[in-house]
Amino acid sequence: MSTLLSVSGVSKEFTIGSRRVRALDDVSFAVEKGECLAIVGESGSGKSTIANIILGIYAASAGSLNFDGQSLPAKRTKGHRRAIQLVQQNPLSSLNPRRSIGASLQLALDVHCIGEASARTARVGELLEEVGLPADFARRAPAALSGGQRQRVAIARALACQSELVVLDEPTSALDVLVQARVLRLLKELKERRGLTYVFITHDLSVVRNIADRVAVFEKGRLVEINGTEAIFADPHHPYTRRLIGAVPVVSREEAALRDRLMERENGNA
Ligand SMILES: Nc1ncnc2c1ncn2[C@@H]1O[C@H](COP(=O)(O)OP(=O)(O)O)[C@@H](O)[C@H]1O
Ligand SMILES: [Mg+2]
């Protein structure tokens, strides 16, 4: 395996009025090509901040990032913006409500893809089908779609061109439990088919078990533990990880059991 992304000694401070918040404190980790690294931690632990730094939306206060063996500059090249994509929790906030689904996807293709304009138009329908939606959804407005369908569109947009690393910030947290299972399954399939690498941020440990190869645990801006998913659950080292794993699940036991059954059934059919 080779390393796709490495984060070295990254810190981030925010200044709010006269108050300074240290959102990240000397964080280092690597993401291997083709893996899914989950980032877990309570609200406010710095998960979205590291996502925004990987995306180049925020600049780090200290430290550096490497992508595919090269230093990742604060001001990203077009190639980096294409290769590193984001899927957020709430797709409504990332899709322009006045633009049709097709127009939003077309825009992503125009910005990030090379090739003939006519070929890009045909790509819109293919992309929708790749995320399990009918091609004629291109004509619809975001408001006419369900939460799960909108998240599929957001995934299609992130994958419009040759993406390599997808940062998913709580991508299924706003969805109900059955829709979550289907979107997770789609994400797994796409990862295999496209050879993608994921940084998957979630506070839902049943999602982690389902999709992650390794887990990085954040506490108050620090990375306190990183290990293989099975090892993290079987033998958590840091007291915070133990607390997190012992904590009350976000979804009820019944919901989690229901989702596990659905996952099994869908995986069985695949
Ligand atoms: N744009 C910002 N301006 C000021 N403070 C911020 C900003 N973004 C995040 N923070 C602060 O940084 C800390 C980490 O936030 P965040 O990365 O959003 O945590 P998480 O995603 O784990 O819930 C919090 O204390 C939050 O209030
Ligand atoms: Mg967050």
Side-chain angles (χ1 to χ4, degrees):
M1 260 210 267
S2 62
T3 301
L4 185 60
L5 174 78
S6 64
V7 172
S8 310
V10 165
S11 296
K12 177 70 183 175
E13 282 189 0
F14 291 108
T15 310
I16 314 160
S18 58
R19 207 167 58 90
R20 288 173 100 187
V21 177
R22 183 152 259 236
L24 291 174
D25 188 1
D26 195 16
V27 167
S28 302
F29 61 91
V31 187
E32 303 299 318
K33 257 180 207 168
E35 82 166 330
C36 174
L37 176 73
I39 294 183
V40 303
E42 284 169 359
S43 175
S45 57
K47 305 184 299 295
S48 293
T49 303
I50 192 64
N52 283 317
I53 288 174
I54 295 170
L55 265 297
I57 296 166
Y58 295 160
S61 310
S64 61
L65 289 93
N66 260 261
F67 185 76
D68 220 359
Q70 288 182 341
S71 136
L72 201 51
K75 189 172 177 347
R76 299 297 160 80
T77 63
K78 210 168 170 235
H80 288 135
R81 287 201 301 274
R82 173 188 53 71
I84 308 175
Q85 292 283 332
L86 175 68
V87 175
Q88 288 172 287
Q89 175 172 356
N90 182 357
L92 258 195
S93 67
S94 59
L95 290 171
N96 185 333
R98 283 185 297 274
R99 223 175 253 144
S100 70
I101 298 303
S104 278
L105 292 176
Q106 182 71 48
L107 190 66
L109 291 164
D110 290 343
V111 170
H112 293 297
C113 295
I114 34 185
E116 295 287 314
S118 58
R120 293 202 296 262
T121 308
R123 265 300 276 153
V124 169
E126 284 171 23
L127 269 172
L128 285 168
E129 282 169 0
E130 196 175 354
V131 296
L133 295 173
D136 66 10
F137 267 41
R139 287 197 297 273
R140 299 198 184 182
L145 271 56
S146 70
Q149 290 167 340
R150 278 198 289 266
Q151 198 56 302
R152 286 173 189 264
V153 173
I155 293 165
R157 193 177 51 175
L159 302 185
C161 304
Q162 293 297 310
S163 343
E164 293 170 56
L165 175 68
V166 187
V167 179
L168 303 119
D169 192 355
E170 307 270 6
T172 60
S173 303
L175 305 175
D176 80 50
V177 80
L178 293 179
V179 179
Q180 259 188 37
R182 297 203 177 96
V183 171
L184 275 179
R185 177 169 179 236
L186 171 70
L187 286 170
K188 283 205 229 178
E189 281 171 7
L190 289 168
K191 180 172 167 296
E192 291 312 308
R193 199 184 309 145
R194 299 268 203 114
L196 298 167
T197 304
Y198 288 167
V199 171
F200 198 114
I201 296 170
T202 179
H203 60 266
D204 184 342
L205 296 173
S206 59
V207 170
V208 171
R209 271 187 192 264
N210 196 295
I211 196 162
D213 299 300
R214 288 191 306 141
V215 186
V217 182
F218 278 54
E219 181 193 23
K220 299 194 183 91
R222 292 181 149 265
L223 193 163
V224 296
E225 184 163 2
I226 182 163
N227 209 342
T229 304
E230 279 188 23
I232 281 272
F233 283 97
D235 184 22
H237 287 246
H238 196 275
Y240 178 73
T241 312
R242 278 189 227 127
R243 271 206 314 266
L244 201 66
I245 287 171
V248 182
V250 181
V251 295
S252 72
R253 206 183 291 271
E254 291 73 23
E255 281 182 316
L258 190 62
R259 181 172 57 197
D260 288 348
R261 278 207 301 281
L262 187 87
M263 285 299 304
E264 272 168 30
R265 205 180 68 208
E266 299 214 342
N267 288 335
N269 288 347

